Structure formats: C-alpha cells, structure tokens
Amino acid sequence: TGRPLIGTVGQLTARKGIPDLLQALAELRQAGIVADCVILGEGPQRKELEAISERLGLGGQVHFVGFQAQPLAWVQAMDVCVLCSSKEGLPRVVLEAMLAGKPVVGSDVTGTRELIVHEETGLLYAFGDISALTAALRRLLADAPLRARMGAAGRARVADGFSIEAYVAGVTTVLDEALA
C-alpha cells in the first residue's frame, strides 16, 4: 500500500495491551496518519480485538495474521515494532526486532525496559498511556532517519550484548558465584 507498517507479535491476551495499540492507530488516523498494522499471534482475546478494530474503523489497515512459525520475516517487513504489554519476562520479539534493525516502541515495564534504550534503540512509554504511545508512533512514522538510526543502534546492542557468547558468559558468572 505504500503506507508504513507497524507490527506486534505475541499471544492475544489482555496482558499484551493490544487494545492500546488499536486505540493509538485510531488516534493517528484521526490526525491524518494512516499506517498498516500486522498483529501476529493467537489467543483468547482475538475475537474481542477484531471487534475493537472494526468499531474503531481500522478494518482496512489492521491485519490479524494468526500464529506464524517464522515471525522474523514479518518483523523484517515492519517499519516499527510495538510491544504494549503490562508485564514481560525477556521479550524475544524485542530482541528479534532489534536484530532486524527495527526501532521498537515498548511499554516501560520490566523485561522490555532492560532491552530498549529509550531515545537510542527505541522509545519507552508508561504502560496504558495511549497518548504517549500515539506520540511515540507519530514521531517514528514521521522520521525515517530516526527509525534507521534507532534500528542500527538496536542491532548493534543485540549483537554486542545479547549474543550466545554473552549469554553463556553471564550464566557462567552466575553459576560460578553460586558455587563459590
């Protein structure tokens, strides 16, 4: 369509905060900013989310694509990856998006805040603050050079700090300390 693509990946449950993303898309649309959105995943909230999308008039721009065995190909197509969760462990989708060179907008919750460096690899906003989420998306959609810079910084961060070697070294350190 030539429109920017926003996306999210995860189980379709209340904890993922996807209604906030849909509301932000509706607010952007009201401001004249139309982006397509792909929502990857399945879960008990799917029908409710589809109904919210229709009610907000987003039917032509929001696409529920279900579970995808290879989500990375979808992430690579995104201009901005979003994670609106109320809580997370260590969200793999954020790592994958950063590795794919994509800026990430994420709720400022444990797990997500450990990965996204605000203003460097993406933008953090207070969970549930739809106006802040909308503003972050508006800013990134309007600024392709910023998206590119944040994407490159995210890729470097994952390559430097989240390699299998770094993971093994970190686990080894913890184990060594526990056994000492």
Side-chain angles (χ1 to χ4, degrees):
T1 64
R3 297 190 296 219
L5 183 63
I6 295 168
T8 192
V9 181
Q11 192 176 26
L12 305 185
T13 62
R15 175 175 72 85
K16 292 295 184 177
I18 296 170
D20 291 358
L21 174 58
L22 296 174
Q23 186 62 49
L25 288 166
E27 290 183 16
L28 288 170
R29 185 182 181 105
Q30 288 170 352
I33 302 164
V34 181
D36 285 313
C37 180
V38 290
I39 297 174
L40 283 72
E42 284 296 342
Q45 203 181 27
R46 180 165 178 162
K47 292 272 188 252
E48 177 188 344
L49 294 169
E50 289 171 338
I52 292 169
S53 179
E54 287 301 318
R55 188 177 73 245
L56 291 171
L58 300 173
Q61 68 190 93
V62 175
H63 311 280
F64 292 87
V65 298
F67 172 79
Q68 298 294 319
Q70 300 295 328
L72 199 50
W74 290 84
V75 171
Q76 288 172 322
M78 295 173 189
D79 293 295
V80 179
C81 184
V82 182
L83 192 63
C84 302
S85 303
S86 62
K87 62 180 180 178
E88 279 294 338
L90 190 70
R92 192 177 74 217
V93 65
V94 172
L95 287 171
E96 290 171 349
M98 290 167 67
L99 194 56
K102 305 300 173 177
V104 184
V105 174
S107 50
D108 189 4
V109 298
T110 301
T112 304
R113 88 169 58 97
E114 279 67 45
L115 299 179
I116 299 172
V117 178
H118 185 61
E119 295 290 341
E120 185 180 314
T121 66
L123 299 172
L124 293 167
Y125 72 96
F127 170 76
D129 185 344
I130 295 167
S131 60
L133 170 59
T134 304
L137 291 171
R138 177 193 309 250
R139 183 172 165 209
L140 285 172
L141 292 175
D143 193 339
L146 178 63
R147 289 194 312 268
R149 275 195 312 278
M150 286 184 170
R155 185 177 177 86
R157 177 166 164 72
V158 173
D160 293 345
F162 295 94
S163 66
I164 191 66
E165 293 84 5
Y167 173 78
V168 169
V171 170
T172 301
T173 300
V174 168
L175 290 174
D176 287 348
E177 289 172 0
L179 296 173

